[in-house]
Amino acid sequence: MEAVKYYSRDIFTLTNEEIIKLVDMILVNYNLDRIAHSLYQERPSLSREINYRKIEAINGLYEFAYVIKVTLGFEDLGRKITTGFVLSNEGAPGDNEIYEGDFYIGSVLGFYQPFEHVVHLNGTGKGFGIDFDYSHLIVYTKRLYQFFNDTLRLWSSNLSPDKYQYNQHLLDLGKENIQEYVIEEVDNINQPERIAAISK
């Protein structure tokens, strides 16, 4: 595959490590605070400190989309909380005409709910099990753009060929009953330093 044919990368070329970095960038302290604050009625003064996090990629029902679901375990809360976002391309994986405007990141409910009763069955958006949607998070535009540009290198036509290699795990979503896979799962017992780092 010749990298120079592309204006930008396909979302199915993102590596597991890059997806983890994306989640780390989005779920920083002020967003963990927002999620914790939303639970104050259930648990007053809940700390944003987490003791568990799992990142999963889930079949997005389209060949050009998938959902990143993040499950969080907060200290002193007796249940897990989920958040996440949808990633999609303008074209399908392997499309030779990928444009600069092809990459979308956004709300799971916002992406699916408008098409319920038309394309999907009722409840499809909620069927992903997202408690705290991406639309409730604070994601600063410039910071997100710089991350896409500098870290994920989504828009350069001068990338090395490895940036155009597909992540087979992502390509397999929806095939042979593969609906999701775990990208990372950490807790405060087995990975205390990792949990401490992402709870800051």
Side-chain angles (χ1 to χ4, degrees):
M1 183 181 300
E2 294 181 20
V4 294
K5 287 184 178 180
Y6 292 82
Y7 289 106
S8 70
R9 293 176 62 185
D10 191 305
I11 60 166
F12 288 84
T13 66
L14 293 179
T15 66
N16 295 340
E17 293 75 17
E18 288 174 324
I19 292 172
I20 291 169
K21 288 178 182 178
L22 176 59
V23 171
D24 288 347
M25 192 276 299
I26 292 173
L27 290 181
V28 290
N29 53 5
Y30 48 83
N31 278 324
L32 290 176
D33 276 337
R34 285 180 67 80
I35 298 172
H37 291 169
S38 76
L39 300 166
Y40 270 17
Q41 188 173 13
E42 180 177 336
R43 181 73 181 186
S45 300
L46 177 68
S47 167
R48 74 162 179 254
E49 300 297 317
I50 60 174
N51 56 23
Y52 174 84
R53 186 178 83 172
K54 179 168 70 171
I55 303 171
E56 300 170 90
I58 301 177
N59 176 16
L61 307 179
Y62 297 105
E63 62 177 354
F64 54 84
Y66 55 87
V67 171
I68 298 299
K69 181 176 178 179
V70 183
T71 305
L72 301 169
F74 286 90
E75 296 282 357
D76 302 321
L77 188 68
R79 65 185 180 90
K80 300 287 194 300
I81 302 299
T82 58
T83 186
F85 47 88
V86 63
L87 296 175
S88 73
N89 275 123
E90 184 175 318
D95 188 342
N96 286 331
E97 296 294 334
I98 298 179
Y99 306 100
E100 289 187 46
D102 73 322
F103 185 76
Y104 170 86
I105 179 172
S107 161
V108 174
L109 298 182
F111 187 78
Y112 292 99
Q113 279 186 334
F115 303 104
E116 291 184 357
H117 301 295
V118 179
V119 179
H120 306 299
L121 297 175
N122 187 38
T124 298
K126 293 180 181 179
F128 288 101
I130 302 294
D131 300 312
F132 196 93
D133 196 55
Y134 179 82
S135 60
H136 303 315
L137 298 172
I138 295 173
V139 184
Y140 292 103
T141 303
K142 184 176 180 181
R143 188 167 179 263
L144 183 62
Y145 173 84
Q146 287 178 328
F147 179 82
F148 286 157
N149 192 60
D150 301 338
T151 302
L152 297 190
R153 304 289 306 281
L154 285 174
W155 292 294
S156 174
S157 61
N158 298 313
L159 296 177
S160 57
D162 66 287
K163 290 295 184 186
Y164 300 100
Q165 293 177 3
Y166 290 102
N167 182 334
Q168 192 60 48
H169 294 291
L170 295 174
L171 289 179
D172 287 344
L173 289 175
K175 297 177 181 177
E176 298 180 5
N177 296 320
I178 299 173
Q179 299 303 314
E180 71 276 324
Y181 78 95
V182 176
I183 295 172
E184 181 187 54
E185 187 170 15
V186 294
D187 58 47
N188 63 339
I189 297 175
N190 298 306
Q191 300 91 3
E193 293 180 359
R194 176 68 177 141
I195 285 291
I198 61 181
S199 294
K200 289 183 180 178

